[in-house]
Amino acid sequence: MALETPNHTQTVAGWAAYDSSGKIAPYIFKRRENGVNDVTIQVMYCGICHTDLHHVKDDWGITMYPVVPGHEITGVITKVGSNVKNFKLGDRVGVGCLAASCLECEFCKNSQENYCDQIQFTYNGIFWDGTITYGGYSDMLVADHRYVVHVPDNLPMDAAAPLLCAGITVFSPMKDCQLLESPGKKVGIVGLGGLGHVAVKMAKAFGHQVTVISTSPSKENEAKQRLGADYFLVSTDAKQMQRGKRSLDVILDTVSAKHSLGPILELLKVNGTLVVVGAPDRPIELPSFPLIFGKRAVKGSMTGGMKETQEMMDVCGKHNITCDVELIKPDKINEALDRLARNDVRYRFVIDIAGTSKL
């Protein structure tokens, strides 16, 4: 792997973590020239995902420093390669978690590139040319057009940015569980953070009864009054959890902290499904009895393929679904990461990279 090749001639201003302290500082680096299959994007906004926090601190032991985070990117196309037919100059576009895949395996050919075993991510990955990928905490990005999506005209670019990760992460399992075409289900959402609040909005838009499960009683009013949830369960309240037993068809668990799945599984009906989309850095507990005695299934889900990501964006455009965001300037990234570590955000920080918003 390398930081750059002779083809990396475009100087870019960005923000990177240089070591496991996780502190972000300005970073000047180079990106490749726009190739025949590429589009160049002026980055307007970039969301701050919990994954960014893990990477800058090397919580998973895989970070290649300096790391330029950011995989919730919206911007405007400024260059188009000669082989690119589905994008043009000035298009509003988004880039999520994926930068490259093998393009040949069953998953790539079936529009499930996110499950390709050679997948490379938008940052902290190794691109086809052997260079390390740098993400959206930067003023410009060059991306292969096959990993870029259109942003619907009616969606604001700042509030649409987190859809590229948070949105697709909850949309994909909802589609997998047939929640898009079968309204009237009883859906549980565990955790009311960056993923959870989008999941509530989507599940309600798709016509389901939604129950939010949270450790924070203070979030009940917001879950019901502002986001439209029908019910709210405090997961540490044994009586509430008992009343909710065998009441839900599908549960999405968005929590990124270590916890037990046992009490959550008890909320599922017989044959119910629990989908884990959060990524705790320590193993979660999975007791066997709630699984066995309810014929319940536990599965995982990771983002989505490119066709599905575009579908998600179009569905969000149709239903006017966006993320609730707090805009920040680049010089506030460290403060935002510290607050994110304390869950002190409603519900997603978004960096105003281009400085177009009045903050």
Side-chain angles (χ1 to χ4, degrees):
M1 62 184 178
L3 295 181
E4 58 188 58
T5 71
N7 190 45
H8 284 62
T9 60
Q10 303 193 82
T11 301
V12 182
W15 295 266
Y18 290 81
D19 55 48
S20 60
S21 70
K23 295 301 180 185
I24 299 291
Y27 179 51
I28 303 298
F29 62 100
K30 291 184 178 180
R31 292 200 187 276
R32 69 182 184 274
E33 282 295 317
N34 197 83
V36 295
N37 291 312
D38 291 333
V39 293
T40 296
I41 301 165
Q42 178 190 356
V43 178
M44 305 297 290
Y45 299 98
C46 186
I48 297 180
C49 175
H50 214 279
T51 300
D52 300 350
L53 190 60
H54 287 303
H55 272 99
V56 299
K57 292 183 176 294
D58 198 21
D59 288 340
W60 296 330
I62 59 173
T63 301
M64 296 176 284
Y65 293 106
V67 59
V68 178
H71 57 206
E72 300 180 340
I73 306 161
T74 55
V76 177
I77 289 184
T78 59
K79 294 180 185 177
V80 179
S82 59
N83 289 347
V84 179
K85 307 303 179 187
N86 54 331
F87 295 101
K88 64 183 186 302
L89 293 178
D91 277 357
R92 292 156 37 99
V93 295
V95 174
C97 301
L98 311 185
S101 60
C102 79
L103 302 176
E104 298 293 334
C105 70
E106 61 176 307
F107 302 106
C108 287
K109 291 181 177 180
N110 196 32
S111 298
Q112 296 185 79
E113 301 92 340
N114 51 313
Y115 295 115
C116 172
D117 66 4
Q118 296 181 45
I119 191 68
Q120 296 298 331
F121 296 113
T122 300
Y123 70 87
N124 203 59
I126 306 295
F127 195 63
W128 290 317
D129 61 6
T131 60
I132 297 171
T133 56
Y134 293 134
Y137 291 19
S138 59
D139 59 12
M140 183 268 276
L141 181 74
V142 180
D144 186 288
H145 75 283
R146 287 164 288 199
Y147 305 93
V148 180
V149 296
H150 291 276
V151 176
D153 289 339
N154 64 307
L155 297 183
M157 295 281 269
D158 54 354
L163 294 175
L164 277 307
C165 175
I168 186 60
T169 296
V170 296
F171 178 87
S172 184
M174 286 188 182
K175 184 178 179 183
D176 197 44
C177 292
Q178 289 81 51
L179 295 181
L180 272 69
E181 64 269 14
S182 303
K185 298 290 186 182
K186 295 181 178 179
V187 178
I189 308 296
V190 185
L192 196 64
L195 298 178
H197 90 285
V198 183
V200 172
K201 291 184 179 185
M202 287 186 179
K204 289 303 297 180
F206 302 155
H208 303 293
Q209 183 187 98
V210 177
T211 299
V212 171
I213 303 111
S214 173
T215 58
S216 305
S218 61
K219 292 185 178 180
E220 180 171 3
N221 185 64
E222 190 157 1
K224 290 181 176 179
Q225 301 302 321
R226 198 159 70 83
L227 298 175
D230 301 284
Y231 299 100
F232 187 93
L233 295 176
V234 179
S235 57
T236 54
D237 187 320
K239 289 184 179 179
Q240 287 191 28
M241 295 294 281
Q242 178 65 27
R243 287 197 297 269
K245 284 185 68 172
R246 293 197 172 194
S247 64
L248 303 174
D249 297 294
V250 176
I251 298 175
L252 267 64
D253 187 343
T254 71
V255 174
S256 58
K258 182 180 182 293
H259 59 292
S260 175
L261 299 184
I264 299 167
L265 283 168
E266 296 282 13
L267 299 174
L268 284 171
K269 297 177 181 178
V270 173
N271 281 317
T273 300
L274 169 62
V275 187
V276 176
V277 295
D281 54 7
R282 291 182 293 163
I284 51 181
E285 298 174 11
L286 179 58
S288 59
F289 279 16
L291 202 61
I292 296 168
F293 282 84
K295 199 182 179 183
R296 300 171 175 115
V298 177
K299 61 194 300 186
S301 183
M302 185 195 76
T303 63
M306 295 313 303
K307 182 178 179 182
E308 194 169 65
T309 302
Q310 185 64 69
E311 179 187 4
M312 179 274 303
M313 295 299 289
D314 294 340
V315 168
C316 287
K318 176 182 176 182
H319 293 284
N320 200 30
I321 296 171
T322 56
C323 300
D324 293 4
V325 303
E326 181 178 335
L327 273 180
I328 63 164
K329 293 180 179 179
D331 62 2
K332 299 295 184 183
I333 293 174
N334 286 312
E335 180 183 324
L337 288 169
D338 289 342
R339 286 179 54 194
L340 178 60
R342 303 193 305 267
N343 295 316
D344 178 23
V345 57
R346 297 291 180 272
Y347 280 97
R348 204 66 151 191
F349 286 114
V350 171
I351 310 165
D352 181 12
I353 299 289
T356 54
S357 299
K358 293 181 180 180
L359 298 178

